[in-house]
């Protein structure tokens, strides 16, 4: 009786083998050892994402320089376990959709961690992709909505709006005795975070805004909102807007004859805000910040000198935040033997770091620092209020 021949094992052609290898590589986790750049001896790939073009590009420039300074210092000392730290800048253009697409790109290109963004709305848009890809992210954003993402992979390198604005409200209402406070904020993630945090902080102290003006993030003419504010004769005006827009608001306010001081958080302590509004217009502006000046401590002086030597310009808060954030990440990588994914996130959370902004001690919510100080702009410079 004849037998049917036994089927032969399928042969894998060269083309099939290449396709199979590519498919397996595509399934590997971000930052795992299947990628040559993440081998035990290859460079450690870290992405820095911020606006490098558009109205918020100053934030991206400061952030990149602060992060790069920290990385350069580590590389000069041999990197981490002899491995070079490699960072690359990505331009999110200040746009959440662009940021989301970049998050996918970062995951596909095997970056094991991300520094940035300085824009809360973009960071929030990127957070779900980074969480799914298990890529830890240390952001310079401050909106409370960042915490509301409840991502174990998202960390802040500075305080939230609640901290900034609680400190500010106490100073304005308790220390200065202001009761007649007007508000102007924008409708973006940052502005809304500032609006809600200050409204609550002032309300807890028994003060409600005389008028609560909300503008758009792309607005250029603020005459209607400022005219409404002028009619209320406030003692101080709280402003919740990024650097350029805030500067334009203050400049137009002075042109309308409004003399009340402005008060705000991080953006109001920056050179871009001062330059946009004009030195005379910002005189007396009250700022809540964890980093008031380059002379605030010996560590700040050392950082500022290194920043000036590297870039030929003065350091400021955002560069300091990114410098702290990068050092926290690099310390966690060293302590964890260059872990990735959840293990790296856990290492960041366990890191105790005494930085330029203060003592970082991370909680489960990804917030590591909860204090700011009050500064006043005098003669074009932010100085500590004594």
């Amino acid at each position: 009786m004849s037998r049917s021949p036994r089927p032969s094992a399928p042969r894998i052609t060269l083309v099939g083998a290449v396709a199979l290898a590519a498919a397996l590589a595509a399934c590997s986790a971000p930052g795992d050892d299947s990628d040559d750049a993440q081998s035990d001896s290859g460079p450690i790939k870290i992405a820095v994402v911020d606006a490098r073009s558009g109205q918020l590009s100053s934030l991206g420039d400061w952030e990149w320089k602060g992060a790069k300074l920290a990385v350069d210092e580590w590389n000069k000392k041999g990197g981490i376990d002899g491995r070079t730290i490699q960072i690359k800048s990505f331009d999110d253009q200040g746009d959440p959709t662009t940021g989301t697409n970049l998050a996918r790109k970062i995951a596909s290109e095997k970056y094991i961690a991300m520094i940035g963004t300085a824009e809360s709305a973009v960071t929030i848009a990127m957070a779900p992709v980074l969480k799914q890809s298990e890529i830890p992210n240390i952001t310079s954003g401050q909106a409370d909505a960042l915490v509301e993402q409840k991502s174990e992979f998202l960390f802040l390198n500075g305080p939230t709006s609640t901290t900034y604005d609680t400190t500010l409200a106490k100073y304005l209402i308790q220390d200065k005795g202001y009761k007649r406070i007007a508000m102007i904020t924008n409708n973006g993630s940052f502005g809304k975070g500032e609006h809600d945090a200050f409204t609550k902080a002032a309300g807890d102290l028994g003060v409600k805004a005389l008028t609560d003006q909300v503008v758009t993030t792309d607005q250029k003419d603020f005459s209607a909102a400022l005219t409404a504010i002028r009619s209320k004769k406030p003692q101080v005006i709280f402003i919740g807007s990024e650097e350029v827009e805030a500067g334009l608001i203050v400049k137009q306010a002075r042109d309308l004859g409004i003399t009340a001081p402005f008060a705000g958080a991080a953006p109001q302590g920056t050179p871009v805000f001062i330059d946009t509004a004009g030195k005379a217009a910002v005189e007396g502006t009250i700022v809540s910040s964890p980093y008031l000046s380059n002379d605030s401590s010996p560590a700040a002086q050392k950082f500022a000198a290194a920043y000036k030597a590297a870039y030929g310009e003065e350091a400021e808060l955002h560069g300091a935040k990114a410098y702290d954030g990068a050092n926290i990440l690099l310390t966690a990588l060293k302590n964890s033997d260059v872990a990735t994914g959840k293990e790296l996130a856990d290492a960041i959370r366990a890191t105790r770091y005494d930085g330029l902004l203060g003592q970082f001690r991370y909680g489960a919510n990804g917030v590591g620092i909860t204090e700011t100080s009050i500064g006043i702009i005098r003669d074009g410079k932010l100085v500590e209020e004594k």
Side-chain angles (χ1 to χ4, degrees), residues 207-262:
V207 172
K208 181 179 179 181
L210 295 170
T211 182
D212 184 354
Q213 299 292 318
V214 178
V215 299
T216 65
T217 56
D218 58 353
Q219 197 164 326
K220 298 295 187 292
D221 181 357
F222 308 98
S223 56
L226 290 171
T227 299
I229 288 173
R230 184 178 61 183
S231 69
K232 299 295 183 179
K233 296 182 172 57
Q235 295 169 294
V236 66
I237 304 165
F238 173 80
I239 185 168
S241 183
E242 293 85 349
E243 287 79 357
V244 173
E245 184 175 72
L248 292 173
I249 289 171
V250 173
K251 184 178 187 302
Q252 292 178 30
R254 300 307 182 220
D255 290 343
L256 286 171
I258 297 173
T259 59
F262 281 82

Side-chain angles (χ1 to χ4, degrees), residues 30-58:
D32 72 11
D33 288 343
S34 65
D35 184 73
D36 288 343
Q38 297 308 328
S39 67
D40 290 341
S41 59
I44 301 166
K45 293 175 62 175
I46 299 170
V48 180
V49 182
D50 276 297
R52 302 308 304 272
S53 59
Q55 184 169 294
L56 301 177
S57 60
S58 57

